[in-house]
Amino acid sequence: MKLCEYCMAEFEPKRPDQKYCRPKCARRYAQFKNFKKAGRTVYTRICPKCGRLFMTIDERKVDCQDCIGIDIKERLRKPKKKDDAIKAVNHMARASGMSYGKFVAQMSMEPLERK
């Protein structure tokens, strides 16, 4: 068993000279090594969601890139309620033979006429 030089996770190396547990760790380590050479401040943090060690140049960043990616994918999977309402109104507008804009304008004008 070896420790990954980027995230400090234990892994079983496939080659004797393997330093990183996965290709993502190797790319990220090289990227942050270049940031250090360029004189930028690199922060080392532990992700509260997965427990992995990660590096960042943003002092406010808390989650690692993998967990942020998972959060974004989950948000994209969930349908937006606003879009469902717009689709329903668009469907009603097309059924009545109008465009979406005309239909919404007519819907908003009706309450004003009743007063």
PDB file of all heavy atoms in Angstrom, residues 2-11 17-22 25-26 28-30 32-33 36 44 52-55:
ATOM      1  N   LYS A   2       0.448   2.242  -0.764  1.00  0.00           N
ATOM      2  CA  LYS A   2       1.155   3.515  -0.854  1.00  0.00           C
ATOM      3  C   LYS A   2       0.194   4.644  -0.562  1.00  0.00           C
ATOM      4  O   LYS A   2      -1.020   4.481  -0.640  1.00  0.00           O
ATOM      5  CB  LYS A   2       1.705   3.703  -2.270  1.00  0.00           C
ATOM      6  CG  LYS A   2       3.065   3.130  -2.526  1.00  0.00           C
ATOM      7  CD  LYS A   2       3.484   3.497  -3.932  1.00  0.00           C
ATOM      8  CE  LYS A   2       4.963   3.787  -3.992  1.00  0.00           C
ATOM      9  NZ  LYS A   2       5.381   4.121  -5.364  1.00  0.00           N
ATOM     10  N   LEU A   3       0.752   5.816  -0.246  1.00  0.00           N
ATOM     11  CA  LEU A   3      -0.046   7.017  -0.060  1.00  0.00           C
ATOM     12  C   LEU A   3       0.057   7.892  -1.305  1.00  0.00           C
ATOM     13  O   LEU A   3       1.150   8.129  -1.817  1.00  0.00           O
ATOM     14  CB  LEU A   3       0.439   7.816   1.150  1.00  0.00           C
ATOM     15  CG  LEU A   3       0.099   7.282   2.527  1.00  0.00           C
ATOM     16  CD1 LEU A   3       0.724   8.176   3.589  1.00  0.00           C
ATOM     17  CD2 LEU A   3      -1.386   7.204   2.727  1.00  0.00           C
ATOM     18  N   CYS A   4      -1.089   8.375  -1.760  1.00  0.00           N
ATOM     19  CA  CYS A   4      -1.119   9.278  -2.911  1.00  0.00           C
ATOM     20  C   CYS A   4      -0.476  10.602  -2.499  1.00  0.00           C
ATOM     21  O   CYS A   4      -0.750  11.135  -1.426  1.00  0.00           O
ATOM     22  CB  CYS A   4      -2.567   9.501  -3.341  1.00  0.00           C
ATOM     23  SG  CYS A   4      -2.778  10.673  -4.676  1.00  0.00           S
ATOM     24  N   GLU A   5       0.382  11.156  -3.360  1.00  0.00           N
ATOM     25  CA  GLU A   5       1.070  12.408  -3.035  1.00  0.00           C
ATOM     26  C   GLU A   5       0.136  13.615  -3.057  1.00  0.00           C
ATOM     27  O   GLU A   5       0.435  14.638  -2.460  1.00  0.00           O
ATOM     28  CB  GLU A   5       2.240  12.635  -4.003  1.00  0.00           C
ATOM     29  CG  GLU A   5       3.413  11.742  -3.726  1.00  0.00           C
ATOM     30  CD  GLU A   5       4.628  12.112  -4.547  1.00  0.00           C
ATOM     31  OE1 GLU A   5       4.691  13.231  -5.088  1.00  0.00           O
ATOM     32  OE2 GLU A   5       5.540  11.272  -4.632  1.00  0.00           O
ATOM     33  N   TYR A   6      -1.013  13.500  -3.736  1.00  0.00           N
ATOM     34  CA  TYR A   6      -1.942  14.622  -3.805  1.00  0.00           C
ATOM     35  C   TYR A   6      -2.987  14.558  -2.691  1.00  0.00           C
ATOM     36  O   TYR A   6      -3.126  15.480  -1.911  1.00  0.00           O
ATOM     37  CB  TYR A   6      -2.636  14.663  -5.168  1.00  0.00           C
ATOM     38  CG  TYR A   6      -3.663  15.769  -5.275  1.00  0.00           C
ATOM     39  CD1 TYR A   6      -3.270  17.082  -5.412  1.00  0.00           C
ATOM     40  CD2 TYR A   6      -5.025  15.499  -5.215  1.00  0.00           C
ATOM     41  CE1 TYR A   6      -4.197  18.098  -5.490  1.00  0.00           C
ATOM     42  CE2 TYR A   6      -5.956  16.505  -5.291  1.00  0.00           C
ATOM     43  CZ  TYR A   6      -5.546  17.809  -5.427  1.00  0.00           C
ATOM     44  OH  TYR A   6      -6.466  18.811  -5.501  1.00  0.00           O
ATOM     45  N   CYS A   7      -3.725  13.449  -2.602  1.00  0.00           N
ATOM     46  CA  CYS A   7      -4.857  13.389  -1.654  1.00  0.00           C
ATOM     47  C   CYS A   7      -4.570  12.564  -0.400  1.00  0.00           C
ATOM     48  O   CYS A   7      -5.423  12.460   0.475  1.00  0.00           O
ATOM     49  CB  CYS A   7      -6.096  12.847  -2.358  1.00  0.00           C
ATOM     50  SG  CYS A   7      -5.985  11.113  -2.849  1.00  0.00           S
ATOM     51  N   MET A   8      -3.402  11.976  -0.311  1.00  0.00           N
ATOM     52  CA  MET A   8      -2.977  11.175   0.836  1.00  0.00           C
ATOM     53  C   MET A   8      -3.860   9.959   1.096  1.00  0.00           C
ATOM     54  O   MET A   8      -3.937   9.456   2.210  1.00  0.00           O
ATOM     55  CB  MET A   8      -2.906  12.025   2.115  1.00  0.00           C
ATOM     56  CG  MET A   8      -1.879  13.109   2.056  1.00  0.00           C
ATOM     57  SD  MET A   8      -0.259  12.384   1.807  1.00  0.00           S
ATOM     58  CE  MET A   8       0.729  13.826   1.629  1.00  0.00           C
ATOM     59  N   ALA A   9      -4.537   9.476   0.062  1.00  0.00           N
ATOM     60  CA  ALA A   9      -5.346   8.260   0.193  1.00  0.00           C
ATOM     61  C   ALA A   9      -4.453   7.045  -0.021  1.00  0.00           C
ATOM     62  O   ALA A   9      -3.507   7.088  -0.804  1.00  0.00           O
ATOM     63  CB  ALA A   9      -6.467   8.266  -0.831  1.00  0.00           C
ATOM     64  N   GLU A  10      -4.757   5.962   0.682  1.00  0.00           N
ATOM     65  CA  GLU A  10      -4.010   4.723   0.482  1.00  0.00           C
ATOM     66  C   GLU A  10      -4.514   4.040  -0.774  1.00  0.00           C
ATOM     67  O   GLU A  10      -5.716   4.033  -1.046  1.00  0.00           O
ATOM     68  CB  GLU A  10      -4.200   3.791   1.674  1.00  0.00           C
ATOM     69  CG  GLU A  10      -3.364   4.162   2.866  1.00  0.00           C
ATOM     70  CD  GLU A  10      -3.380   3.076   3.927  1.00  0.00           C
ATOM     71  OE1 GLU A  10      -3.765   1.931   3.625  1.00  0.00           O
ATOM     72  OE2 GLU A  10      -3.003   3.389   5.053  1.00  0.00           O
ATOM     73  N   PHE A  11      -3.590   3.502  -1.562  1.00  0.00           N
ATOM     74  CA  PHE A  11      -3.976   2.792  -2.773  1.00  0.00           C
ATOM     75  C   PHE A  11      -2.981   1.687  -3.065  1.00  0.00           C
ATOM     76  O   PHE A  11      -1.857   1.696  -2.562  1.00  0.00           O
ATOM     77  CB  PHE A  11      -4.078   3.764  -3.964  1.00  0.00           C
ATOM     78  CG  PHE A  11      -2.750   4.303  -4.438  1.00  0.00           C
ATOM     79  CD1 PHE A  11      -2.114   3.755  -5.541  1.00  0.00           C
ATOM     80  CD2 PHE A  11      -2.136   5.362  -3.781  1.00  0.00           C
ATOM     81  CE1 PHE A  11      -0.903   4.255  -5.981  1.00  0.00           C
ATOM     82  CE2 PHE A  11      -0.930   5.862  -4.215  1.00  0.00           C
ATOM     83  CZ  PHE A  11      -0.305   5.306  -5.317  1.00  0.00           C
ATOM     84  N   ASP A  17       6.573   2.498  -9.514  1.00  0.00           N
ATOM     85  CA  ASP A  17       6.890   3.926  -9.453  1.00  0.00           C
ATOM     86  C   ASP A  17       5.644   4.819  -9.414  1.00  0.00           C
ATOM     87  O   ASP A  17       5.743   6.038  -9.512  1.00  0.00           O
ATOM     88  CB  ASP A  17       7.764   4.317 -10.650  1.00  0.00           C
ATOM     89  CG  ASP A  17       7.053   4.115 -11.975  1.00  0.00           C
ATOM     90  OD1 ASP A  17       6.107   3.297 -12.034  1.00  0.00           O
ATOM     91  OD2 ASP A  17       7.460   4.763 -12.958  1.00  0.00           O
ATOM     92  N   GLN A  18       4.451   4.245  -9.230  1.00  0.00           N
ATOM     93  CA  GLN A  18       3.205   5.011  -9.218  1.00  0.00           C
ATOM     94  C   GLN A  18       3.119   5.863  -7.949  1.00  0.00           C
ATOM     95  O   GLN A  18       3.302   5.377  -6.844  1.00  0.00           O
ATOM     96  CB  GLN A  18       2.014   4.059  -9.301  1.00  0.00           C
ATOM     97  CG  GLN A  18       0.698   4.748  -9.446  1.00  0.00           C
ATOM     98  CD  GLN A  18      -0.447   3.764  -9.638  1.00  0.00           C
ATOM     99  OE1 GLN A  18      -0.234   2.575  -9.848  1.00  0.00           O
ATOM    100  NE2 GLN A  18      -1.656   4.285  -9.559  1.00  0.00           N
ATOM    101  N   LYS A  19       2.856   7.173  -8.114  1.00  0.00           N
ATOM    102  CA  LYS A  19       2.814   8.105  -6.988  1.00  0.00           C
ATOM    103  C   LYS A  19       1.406   8.550  -6.623  1.00  0.00           C
ATOM    104  O   LYS A  19       1.166   9.030  -5.525  1.00  0.00           O
ATOM    105  CB  LYS A  19       3.623   9.361  -7.319  1.00  0.00           C
ATOM    106  CG  LYS A  19       5.079   9.128  -7.550  1.00  0.00           C
ATOM    107  CD  LYS A  19       5.747  10.430  -7.917  1.00  0.00           C
ATOM    108  CE  LYS A  19       7.216  10.241  -8.224  1.00  0.00           C
ATOM    109  NZ  LYS A  19       7.852  11.507  -8.604  1.00  0.00           N
ATOM    110  N   TYR A  20       0.456   8.414  -7.557  1.00  0.00           N
ATOM    111  CA  TYR A  20      -0.881   8.943  -7.352  1.00  0.00           C
ATOM    112  C   TYR A  20      -1.912   7.824  -7.478  1.00  0.00           C
ATOM    113  O   TYR A  20      -1.744   6.894  -8.260  1.00  0.00           O
ATOM    114  CB  TYR A  20      -1.184  10.039  -8.379  1.00  0.00           C
ATOM    115  CG  TYR A  20      -0.082  11.071  -8.436  1.00  0.00           C
ATOM    116  CD1 TYR A  20       0.855  11.067  -9.461  1.00  0.00           C
ATOM    117  CD2 TYR A  20       0.035  12.037  -7.444  1.00  0.00           C
ATOM    118  CE1 TYR A  20       1.875  11.991  -9.500  1.00  0.00           C
ATOM    119  CE2 TYR A  20       1.051  12.965  -7.476  1.00  0.00           C
ATOM    120  CZ  TYR A  20       1.975  12.940  -8.502  1.00  0.00           C
ATOM    121  OH  TYR A  20       2.984  13.855  -8.528  1.00  0.00           O
ATOM    122  N   CYS A  21      -3.010   7.974  -6.733  1.00  0.00           N
ATOM    123  CA  CYS A  21      -4.020   6.913  -6.727  1.00  0.00           C
ATOM    124  C   CYS A  21      -4.842   6.880  -8.012  1.00  0.00           C
ATOM    125  O   CYS A  21      -5.359   5.842  -8.389  1.00  0.00           O
ATOM    126  CB  CYS A  21      -4.948   7.073  -5.524  1.00  0.00           C
ATOM    127  SG  CYS A  21      -5.863   8.627  -5.445  1.00  0.00           S
ATOM    128  N   ARG A  22      -4.950   8.000  -8.699  1.00  0.00           N
ATOM    129  CA  ARG A  22      -5.727   8.066  -9.937  1.00  0.00           C
ATOM    130  C   ARG A  22      -5.173   9.171 -10.830  1.00  0.00           C
ATOM    131  O   ARG A  22      -4.468  10.064 -10.354  1.00  0.00           O
ATOM    132  CB  ARG A  22      -7.202   8.297  -9.637  1.00  0.00           C
ATOM    133  CG  ARG A  22      -7.439   9.483  -8.756  1.00  0.00           C
ATOM    134  CD  ARG A  22      -8.802   9.456  -8.119  1.00  0.00           C
ATOM    135  NE  ARG A  22      -8.908  10.642  -7.285  1.00  0.00           N
ATOM    136  CZ  ARG A  22      -9.955  11.378  -7.160  1.00  0.00           C
ATOM    137  NH1 ARG A  22     -11.057  11.049  -7.807  1.00  0.00           N
ATOM    138  NH2 ARG A  22      -9.955  12.426  -6.403  1.00  0.00           N
ATOM    139  N   CYS A  25      -5.620  12.874  -9.714  1.00  0.00           N
ATOM    140  CA  CYS A  25      -4.704  13.358  -8.679  1.00  0.00           C
ATOM    141  C   CYS A  25      -3.371  13.784  -9.292  1.00  0.00           C
ATOM    142  O   CYS A  25      -2.788  14.781  -8.878  1.00  0.00           O
ATOM    143  CB  CYS A  25      -4.499  12.295  -7.610  1.00  0.00           C
ATOM    144  SG  CYS A  25      -5.896  12.091  -6.496  1.00  0.00           S
ATOM    145  N   ALA A  26      -2.898  13.045 -10.270  1.00  0.00           N
ATOM    146  CA  ALA A  26      -1.633  13.390 -10.920  1.00  0.00           C
ATOM    147  C   ALA A  26      -1.743  14.732 -11.640  1.00  0.00           C
ATOM    148  O   ALA A  26      -0.851  15.588 -11.532  1.00  0.00           O
ATOM    149  CB  ALA A  26      -1.237  12.291 -11.912  1.00  0.00           C
ATOM    150  N   ARG A  28      -3.944  17.185 -11.058  1.00  0.00           N
ATOM    151  CA  ARG A  28      -4.138  18.269 -10.087  1.00  0.00           C
ATOM    152  C   ARG A  28      -2.843  18.606  -9.350  1.00  0.00           C
ATOM    153  O   ARG A  28      -2.560  19.765  -9.086  1.00  0.00           O
ATOM    154  CB  ARG A  28      -5.245  17.892  -9.106  1.00  0.00           C
ATOM    155  CG  ARG A  28      -6.602  17.892  -9.760  1.00  0.00           C
ATOM    156  CD  ARG A  28      -7.676  17.479  -8.805  1.00  0.00           C
ATOM    157  NE  ARG A  28      -8.950  17.377  -9.503  1.00  0.00           N
ATOM    158  CZ  ARG A  28      -9.976  16.715  -9.060  1.00  0.00           C
ATOM    159  NH1 ARG A  28      -9.912  16.076  -7.896  1.00  0.00           N
ATOM    160  NH2 ARG A  28     -11.092  16.659  -9.743  1.00  0.00           N
ATOM    161  N   TYR A  29      -2.060  17.577  -9.014  1.00  0.00           N
ATOM    162  CA  TYR A  29      -0.792  17.823  -8.333  1.00  0.00           C
ATOM    163  C   TYR A  29       0.140  18.636  -9.235  1.00  0.00           C
ATOM    164  O   TYR A  29       0.774  19.593  -8.789  1.00  0.00           O
ATOM    165  CB  TYR A  29      -0.134  16.505  -7.920  1.00  0.00           C
ATOM    166  CG  TYR A  29       1.102  16.715  -7.092  1.00  0.00           C
ATOM    167  CD1 TYR A  29       0.997  17.005  -5.733  1.00  0.00           C
ATOM    168  CD2 TYR A  29       2.375  16.644  -7.646  1.00  0.00           C
ATOM    169  CE1 TYR A  29       2.128  17.211  -4.958  1.00  0.00           C
ATOM    170  CE2 TYR A  29       3.508  16.847  -6.885  1.00  0.00           C
ATOM    171  CZ  TYR A  29       3.373  17.127  -5.538  1.00  0.00           C
ATOM    172  OH  TYR A  29       4.494  17.340  -4.782  1.00  0.00           O
ATOM    173  N   ALA A  30       0.193  18.281 -10.515  1.00  0.00           N
ATOM    174  CA  ALA A  30       1.048  19.017 -11.461  1.00  0.00           C
ATOM    175  C   ALA A  30       0.561  20.458 -11.606  1.00  0.00           C
ATOM    176  O   ALA A  30       1.366  21.396 -11.659  1.00  0.00           O
ATOM    177  CB  ALA A  30       1.035  18.323 -12.813  1.00  0.00           C
ATOM    178  N   PHE A  32      -1.075  22.332  -9.356  1.00  0.00           N
ATOM    179  CA  PHE A  32      -0.772  23.125  -8.169  1.00  0.00           C
ATOM    180  C   PHE A  32       0.727  23.287  -7.954  1.00  0.00           C
ATOM    181  O   PHE A  32       1.166  24.260  -7.357  1.00  0.00           O
ATOM    182  CB  PHE A  32      -1.478  22.533  -6.948  1.00  0.00           C
ATOM    183  CG  PHE A  32      -2.949  22.808  -6.972  1.00  0.00           C
ATOM    184  CD1 PHE A  32      -3.858  21.828  -7.299  1.00  0.00           C
ATOM    185  CD2 PHE A  32      -3.425  24.090  -6.733  1.00  0.00           C
ATOM    186  CE1 PHE A  32      -5.209  22.098  -7.350  1.00  0.00           C
ATOM    187  CE2 PHE A  32      -4.769  24.375  -6.788  1.00  0.00           C
ATOM    188  CZ  PHE A  32      -5.668  23.375  -7.094  1.00  0.00           C
ATOM    189  N   LYS A  33       1.512  22.357  -8.467  1.00  0.00           N
ATOM    190  CA  LYS A  33       2.967  22.509  -8.426  1.00  0.00           C
ATOM    191  C   LYS A  33       3.373  23.714  -9.275  1.00  0.00           C
ATOM    192  O   LYS A  33       4.218  24.511  -8.884  1.00  0.00           O
ATOM    193  CB  LYS A  33       3.610  21.224  -8.950  1.00  0.00           C
ATOM    194  CG  LYS A  33       5.087  21.131  -8.753  1.00  0.00           C
ATOM    195  CD  LYS A  33       5.519  19.731  -9.152  1.00  0.00           C
ATOM    196  CE  LYS A  33       6.921  19.743  -9.677  1.00  0.00           C
ATOM    197  NZ  LYS A  33       7.333  18.450 -10.203  1.00  0.00           N
ATOM    198  N   LYS A  36       2.514  26.927  -7.465  1.00  0.00           N
ATOM    199  CA  LYS A  36       3.529  27.251  -6.452  1.00  0.00           C
ATOM    200  C   LYS A  36       4.760  27.877  -7.096  1.00  0.00           C
ATOM    201  O   LYS A  36       5.327  28.827  -6.577  1.00  0.00           O
ATOM    202  CB  LYS A  36       3.925  25.991  -5.668  1.00  0.00           C
ATOM    203  CG  LYS A  36       2.905  25.559  -4.652  1.00  0.00           C
ATOM    204  CD  LYS A  36       3.384  24.317  -3.911  1.00  0.00           C
ATOM    205  CE  LYS A  36       2.350  23.813  -2.945  1.00  0.00           C
ATOM    206  NZ  LYS A  36       2.762  22.578  -2.266  1.00  0.00           N
ATOM    207  N   THR A  44      -3.933  23.896   1.386  1.00  0.00           N
ATOM    208  CA  THR A  44      -4.211  22.471   1.489  1.00  0.00           C
ATOM    209  C   THR A  44      -5.354  22.299   2.478  1.00  0.00           C
ATOM    210  O   THR A  44      -5.289  22.787   3.605  1.00  0.00           O
ATOM    211  CB  THR A  44      -2.970  21.705   1.973  1.00  0.00           C
ATOM    212  OG1 THR A  44      -1.892  21.975   1.067  1.00  0.00           O
ATOM    213  CG2 THR A  44      -3.218  20.223   2.006  1.00  0.00           C
ATOM    214  N   ARG A  52     -11.196  13.641   1.755  1.00  0.00           N
ATOM    215  CA  ARG A  52      -9.930  13.656   1.015  1.00  0.00           C
ATOM    216  C   ARG A  52      -9.199  14.978   1.213  1.00  0.00           C
ATOM    217  O   ARG A  52      -9.809  16.016   1.404  1.00  0.00           O
ATOM    218  CB  ARG A  52     -10.175  13.476  -0.474  1.00  0.00           C
ATOM    219  CG  ARG A  52     -10.470  12.075  -0.866  1.00  0.00           C
ATOM    220  CD  ARG A  52     -10.585  12.003  -2.375  1.00  0.00           C
ATOM    221  NE  ARG A  52     -10.841  10.638  -2.769  1.00  0.00           N
ATOM    222  CZ  ARG A  52      -9.995   9.903  -3.455  1.00  0.00           C
ATOM    223  NH1 ARG A  52      -8.860  10.405  -3.870  1.00  0.00           N
ATOM    224  NH2 ARG A  52     -10.281   8.661  -3.771  1.00  0.00           N
ATOM    225  N   LEU A  53      -7.909  14.905   1.111  1.00  0.00           N
ATOM    226  CA  LEU A  53      -7.067  16.090   1.145  1.00  0.00           C
ATOM    227  C   LEU A  53      -7.061  16.679  -0.259  1.00  0.00           C
ATOM    228  O   LEU A  53      -7.045  15.939  -1.239  1.00  0.00           O
ATOM    229  CB  LEU A  53      -5.651  15.668   1.542  1.00  0.00           C
ATOM    230  CG  LEU A  53      -4.701  16.736   2.011  1.00  0.00           C
ATOM    231  CD1 LEU A  53      -5.130  17.226   3.380  1.00  0.00           C
ATOM    232  CD2 LEU A  53      -3.300  16.189   2.084  1.00  0.00           C
ATOM    233  N   PHE A  54      -7.119  17.998  -0.388  1.00  0.00           N
ATOM    234  CA  PHE A  54      -7.058  18.614  -1.706  1.00  0.00           C
ATOM    235  C   PHE A  54      -6.373  19.963  -1.600  1.00  0.00           C
ATOM    236  O   PHE A  54      -6.234  20.522  -0.521  1.00  0.00           O
ATOM    237  CB  PHE A  54      -8.452  18.756  -2.333  1.00  0.00           C
ATOM    238  CG  PHE A  54      -9.333  19.775  -1.674  1.00  0.00           C
ATOM    239  CD1 PHE A  54      -9.473  21.047  -2.207  1.00  0.00           C
ATOM    240  CD2 PHE A  54     -10.037  19.475  -0.528  1.00  0.00           C
ATOM    241  CE1 PHE A  54     -10.285  21.994  -1.614  1.00  0.00           C
ATOM    242  CE2 PHE A  54     -10.855  20.411   0.073  1.00  0.00           C
ATOM    243  CZ  PHE A  54     -10.980  21.673  -0.464  1.00  0.00           C
ATOM    244  N   MET A  55      -5.918  20.468  -2.737  1.00  0.00           N
ATOM    245  CA  MET A  55      -5.241  21.765  -2.809  1.00  0.00           C
ATOM    246  C   MET A  55      -6.118  22.738  -3.570  1.00  0.00           C
ATOM    247  O   MET A  55      -6.842  22.344  -4.493  1.00  0.00           O
ATOM    248  CB  MET A  55      -3.905  21.632  -3.522  1.00  0.00           C
ATOM    249  CG  MET A  55      -2.906  20.788  -2.794  1.00  0.00           C
ATOM    250  SD  MET A  55      -1.400  20.686  -3.768  1.00  0.00           S
ATOM    251  CE  MET A  55      -0.494  19.466  -2.885  1.00  0.00           C
TER     252      MET A  55
END
